[in-house]
Amino acid sequence: MSAAAHHYLLPDGAGLAAAQALLAGHLRLDADPTESVSCTWYDTFDGRLHARGLQLVAQDGRLLLLDAAGVQVAAGPPPAPGAPAPAEHLMADDLPAGRLRDAVAPLIAMRALTAIARTRSRRRALRVTDDEAKTVVRLVAEEPSVLAGGGPPRRLAGRLTVAGVRGYDRALAAARAAIEDGAGLRAAPESLADEAVRAGGGVPGGVSSKLRVALDPSERADAAAVRLLAPLVTVIRLNLPGTLADVDTEFLHDLRVAVRRTRSAQRQLRHVFPAGELDAHRRAFRRLQQVTGPSRDLDVSLLDFDHLVGGLPGSAPADIEPLRGVLADRREAERTRMVRALRAPATAAALDGWEALLERLVHAPEDDRRDAARPIVAVAGRRIAKVHGRMVRDGRRIDATSPPEALHELRKSGKELRYLLEFFASLFPPEVVKPMVRGLKDLQDTLGRHQDRDVQVAMLRGLAGDVSAAPSGTAALIAMGSLIDRLAHEQVLARAEFAERFAAFCERAPRSLVRRTFR
C-alpha cells in the first residue's frame, strides 16, 4: 500500500460479502479471493513503540513494523517453512538483522517486546478501478477476531482500510468521499491492535511506572499522601509478575523505584500516618528493598559489562570474559533467593496491609497524626526546605579527608530531595522547581558515579576467588586488576568533580530562592 492509509468501521454485523456489496453501490470494484491472516502484536510493557506511533506485528510468522496508520515501515524476512512462530517475548537481539531491528532496537533498549494481543482475520482485498480498468485505490475489508484467555475467538468490529496509489490522489479523495458520504462509514477510533488489547483486558499504550499526580495545595496532607502512594502500590503489583518471570530487567528496576519512592514518602510524610502502624510498614518495605537489591546490582553489572570492559587495553576485554560467566551465575543464585522472598506470604501481606492503611487513612483518628489535616503545600514545603538544608550542611562538611560513606549519605539525601520534588512539583512554581531539579541532577550524577565505582571495585575484589577458579581464570584476574585500577581512577575523578557540582548546587541565589519558596 502507499504511504497513506485510512481506516473505517464496517456496519455492525456486516461480513465481507455485505461490505463488498455496500461499497459496490458507490465504487467500481474488483475483488481478490478471501484470505485468512493470523497476527501477534508486540510492544514493551510500557508501550515504547506505541508512544512513537509504531506497531510491531508477526503476520503469519513474518515480523512487520507498521506506522500508526498501519503502513509498513520495515519487514523481517519471510519465515522458513516449518519455522516456529515468534516467541512470546523478544529482545532486540532476537529480531532479524536489518532495517527492522535497526529501527526497533534503539527504541526498546533493554526492554522485552511482549505479545500484547493475538488476532485472526478474514480479509478480502478490493481494488477501485477507473474506466481503463487500472487500479486507482486499494481497499481491504476485514473481519477480525481477538484470541484471548484460551477461550473461543471474540469478534471485533469489521474494518475497511483504504490506501491510495501513487499518482491517483484525486481518485483517493473521491473514494473516501464515496465511502464516508455514500456508504456512510465512519473512521475507526483506534487501531486494530489497540482494540484487540482493550478487548483482552489490557491497556493500549502499555503501563507507565511514572508518577503523575496533580495535587491541590489546600487539600489535607493525608489525602494527598494517599493519592501519591496508592499508584505506587499499583506499580509494584504490575511489575511483580514480570520480575518473577525475568521477562526483562526493567520490571525489577521499576518495582524497586516504586519501593524507594514509597519508603521516602513514609519517612518524609510520617506525621500523616499512625506512628505505631507506620513502623511496621516501613520495616516491610525495607525488606522489599533489601531482598531485591543484590539482583538489581548484578543486572546493572551485566548490562554495563561491555561498556565497562570496552576501554581496557590489549587483550584484556577478551581475557576478562570469564568474569561475565561468574556474574551470570551469581545473578542466577541471587534471583533464586529474591524470587523465593517475593513469592513468600510476607510480600503479599506487606502490600495488602499497606493498601488497607491507605484506604482508611483519611478517616483514622488524628491524635498521633499531627500533619494529617494540614494543607499539603505547607507540609511539602517544610520537608523540601529541611532536606535541602541538610544537604547544604552535610555537603559543606565534606573535604579531602572525608570517607566515601559521607558522599554516599549525601547522595541518599539527594534522592530524598528528588523524590520530594517529583511528588510535589505541581504545588510550586515550575521556574523554581525545574532549575532546582537540574542542579540536583548534575550533583547526583557525580555522586552516583562515585558510589557506583566504589561498589564496583568492592564487588570485583569479592569475585576474585570465583574468577580464579574459572577456566582461563589467571588471565581474567590480571584483566580485572586493570579494570579495578580504571574504576578507582574514575572514582577519584568523580570526587574531584564533586566540589564544583556542589558549589553550583548551593550557590547563594538558589538557596535564597529555596528559602522563599519552600517554608
Side-chain angles (χ1 to χ4, degrees), residues 424-446:
F424 304 119
S426 62
L427 300 176
F428 301 101
E431 62 270 20
V432 176
V433 173
K434 288 182 179 179
M436 193 173 174
V437 170
R438 281 196 300 270
L440 180 60
K441 182 181 182 301
D442 289 341
L443 177 59
Q444 286 290 91
D445 286 347
T446 299

Side-chain angles (χ1 to χ4, degrees), residues 6 57 60 98 104 106 111 118 147-148 155 183 190 207-208 225 245 256 291 363 368-369 431 481 510:
H6 308 274
V57 57
D60 290 332
V104 172
R111 293 239 69 158
R118 288 183 171 83
L147 312 175
R155 180 82 175 267
E190 61 184 349
V207 177
S208 173
R256 279 179 52 78
V291 301
H363 305 295
D368 60 347
R369 301 192 302 126
E431 62 270 20

